[in-house]
Amino acid sequence: MGETVRYTYRLRPGATAEAALLAEWGRCRWLWNEAVHQQRSGCRPTFCKLSKLLTEARARSSWLGDGSQVAQQQTLRTYALALQHSFKVKGRGRPRVKRRKDSLPSLEYTTRGFSIRDRRLRLPGGVSIPVVWSRELPSDPTSVRIYQDTLGHWYASFVVRREFTPAPEAEGAIGVDWGVTTTATTTDGAYDLPYHGRRKRCAAELARAHRRMARRRRTKGAPPSNGYLRAKRQAAKVAKKAARQNTHDARVWAKKVVDNHTTIAVEDFKPTFLAKSRMARRAADAAIGAAKRELVDRGLRAGRKVVLVPPGYTTMTCSQCGTRAKHRLGLGVRVFRCDTCGYTACRDRNAARTILATAERGRAGADDVRHAITSFRDGGRVRSEPEIPRLPAVGKR
């Protein structure tokens, strides 16, 4: 039994190879923008129509015909998939125009468009790029994505198949509640993910780089100075370092949680509304969305049972007796006290236990939490499921 994963490596292209990659990206970006224009003009472009237009355009234009047809076809395929998702996935907008000044290069190649010879990546047009092989590929890649980050570094992401490594035997269940003071609060406290404040630590250095950019910014239409470009690169380097540290913390924490639990109840929390609050900067620094995705992905790959529980009334419900409080708890109230049974606990800890009890019951109604807590105390075992069951929402938090 195998699984499909991505293996990413750093590329070291020379001046000629980098110029060829940027030229190819210019052609693919033009095709993407042309497809966006076709959609906005009411032509309803499907992948078949776009492929036909591409064939005609390559015959007319030598500039477009000099590029790789594989990369151009993959660009149209990616656009068609993005357009399809905009109709089916909630919250996805229509594909937009990719401007040269704020869109990073990204190219896709299938097996017809690339090869690996002498430990170098070979692309159409005689482009040969050295690869930093930090680890060996488990199998022959089926496709590759070549992209550039904000620092100007190039990477190659190969799609490969590898043998599935089963997760270690584990018992027990855990509930996860998301927050700002503590990024993830769990039922027993042994697996909490603390708020490290990575971006906050480098805020002063990032502010200096932004002030340097502001002083060196030229008038509109004039080419940027070397000092402006150096300050821009320094700002991107600081932001990238903080993002990588958050990603590393989330991966280590998620692996620890998944390896030691068979049932993982995760609060289906969407932190987008925090961007409009006074906690926006701190919430962005906590990277709740990235930690949640990492936990869910690792849990599914390991064959654990992952249940997404809506956050409605989880903070107001007592995890000991199942009674819901009559008044909402303000964010300044960090201790939960039940007026019925006298149970006292940390606000987030009580919410995590309520989330776990609701997931064990399999229903999201707050009135059923009392029975869920009883079944949870009995220690019922649940088999692993490959899909993520989403419990129906019952109200707002």
Side-chain angles (χ1 to χ4, degrees):
M1 182 178 179
E3 58 179 350
T4 302
V5 294
R6 282 189 176 272
Y7 275 47
T8 304
Y9 302 88
R10 177 79 179 271
L11 298 179
R12 304 285 187 181
T16 304
E18 185 172 6
L21 291 175
L22 293 177
E24 191 64 61
W25 164 240
R27 301 184 187 95
C28 293
R29 189 175 60 86
W30 181 86
L31 287 173
W32 179 281
N33 295 341
E34 182 65 23
V36 172
H37 173 72
Q38 293 286 334
Q39 172 65 23
R40 292 179 177 178
S41 60
C43 297
R44 297 182 179 181
T46 61
F47 177 68
C48 295
K49 293 181 180 179
L50 292 176
S51 298
K52 184 177 179 180
L53 292 176
L54 174 61
T55 303
E56 297 174 356
R58 286 177 61 86
R60 293 194 308 266
S61 173
S62 59
W63 169 75
L64 197 62
D66 292 340
S68 170
Q69 187 175 7
V70 175
Q72 296 170 12
Q73 285 280 359
Q74 288 300 113
T75 299
L76 297 182
R77 192 180 299 275
T78 303
Y79 172 83
L81 186 61
L83 183 62
Q84 181 182 3
H85 286 173
S86 68
F87 291 103
K88 295 183 178 181
V89 181
K90 184 179 179 180
R92 293 283 184 89
R94 301 289 186 271
R96 295 181 295 181
V97 171
K98 292 185 177 181
R99 301 187 299 177
R100 181 180 180 180
K101 64 179 182 179
D102 56 8
S103 59
L104 295 174
S106 178
L107 303 171
E108 296 262 0
Y109 294 91
T110 59
T111 51
R112 295 190 302 113
F114 79 97
S115 62
I116 300 176
R117 286 181 292 177
D118 300 331
R119 302 183 66 81
R120 297 169 69 95
L121 180 62
R122 310 277 180 165
L123 298 177
V127 178
S128 177
I129 306 176
V131 183
V132 181
W133 297 103
S134 56
R135 53 180 174 172
E136 296 296 330
L137 288 172
S139 61
D140 294 334
T142 58
S143 65
V144 64
R145 176 187 300 162
I146 300 174
Y147 62 94
Q148 188 183 33
D149 65 357
T150 54
L151 297 179
H153 300 161
W154 289 90
Y155 296 89
S157 179
F158 297 95
V159 177
V160 295
R161 294 279 296 178
R162 71 176 182 185
E163 293 295 328
F164 176 75
T165 303
E169 294 293 334
E171 294 183 358
I174 190 173
V176 181
D177 177 76
W178 305 107
V180 178
T181 55
T182 302
T183 304
T185 304
T186 56
T187 50
D188 55 358
Y191 297 91
D192 289 355
L193 177 61
Y195 167 73
H196 294 286
R198 303 294 189 186
R199 290 184 175 90
K200 184 178 180 181
R201 294 180 182 178
C202 60
E205 186 177 358
L206 188 62
R208 283 196 298 270
H210 286 166
R211 288 195 297 267
R212 209 173 292 123
M213 289 173 59
R215 290 194 299 266
R216 289 161 173 77
R217 187 184 299 274
R218 292 184 175 179
T219 58
K220 187 176 181 180
S225 64
N226 292 333
Y228 176 83
L229 294 178
R230 284 195 299 268
K232 183 179 179 180
R233 179 181 175 83
Q234 180 63 24
K237 186 176 181 180
V238 173
K240 188 81 170 180
K241 179 180 179 181
R244 285 173 173 170
Q245 288 175 336
N246 283 335
T247 301
H248 174 75
D249 295 338
R251 287 176 177 175
V252 173
W253 170 77
K255 185 178 186 303
K256 183 180 177 182
V257 171
V258 170
D259 289 348
N260 294 277
H261 301 89
T262 56
T263 303
I264 304 173
V266 184
E267 180 188 12
D268 194 9
F269 179 68
K270 298 175 177 58
T272 52
F273 75 95
L274 291 176
K276 301 179 181 179
S277 67
R278 58 185 178 87
M279 299 183 297
R281 185 172 297 179
R282 190 180 180 94
D285 196 358
I288 300 175
K292 176 185 172 184
R293 286 192 301 269
E294 187 68 30
L295 179 61
V296 171
D297 291 344
R298 282 187 177 271
L300 292 181
R301 287 170 53 189
R304 308 302 194 193
K305 180 182 179 182
V306 182
V307 183
L308 297 178
V309 180
Y313 301 114
T314 54
T315 305
M316 301 169 56
T317 305
C318 177
S319 60
Q320 190 72 15
C321 64
T323 304
R324 186 196 302 176
K326 296 181 180 180
H327 303 284
R328 295 181 59 183
L329 298 179
L331 293 177
V333 181
R334 306 311 304 171
V335 178
F336 175 85
R337 292 182 178 86
C338 181
D339 297 334
T340 303
C341 66
Y343 175 71
T344 303
C346 173
R347 167 201 181 105
D348 296 335
R349 191 86 60 213
N350 175 75
R353 292 169 181 170
T354 304
I355 289 170
L356 177 58
T358 306
E360 289 285 340
R361 178 66 176 172
R363 300 177 64 181
D367 296 334
D368 300 320
V369 171
R370 182 182 295 105
H371 304 288
I373 293 172
T374 304
S375 64
F376 165 61
R377 288 176 179 173
D378 293 340
R381 296 288 298 278
V382 185
R383 291 178 300 174
S384 300
E385 299 179 6
E387 68 277 357
I388 309 176
R390 289 180 179 266
L391 301 180
V394 295
K396 297 181 180 179
R397 195 170 183 176

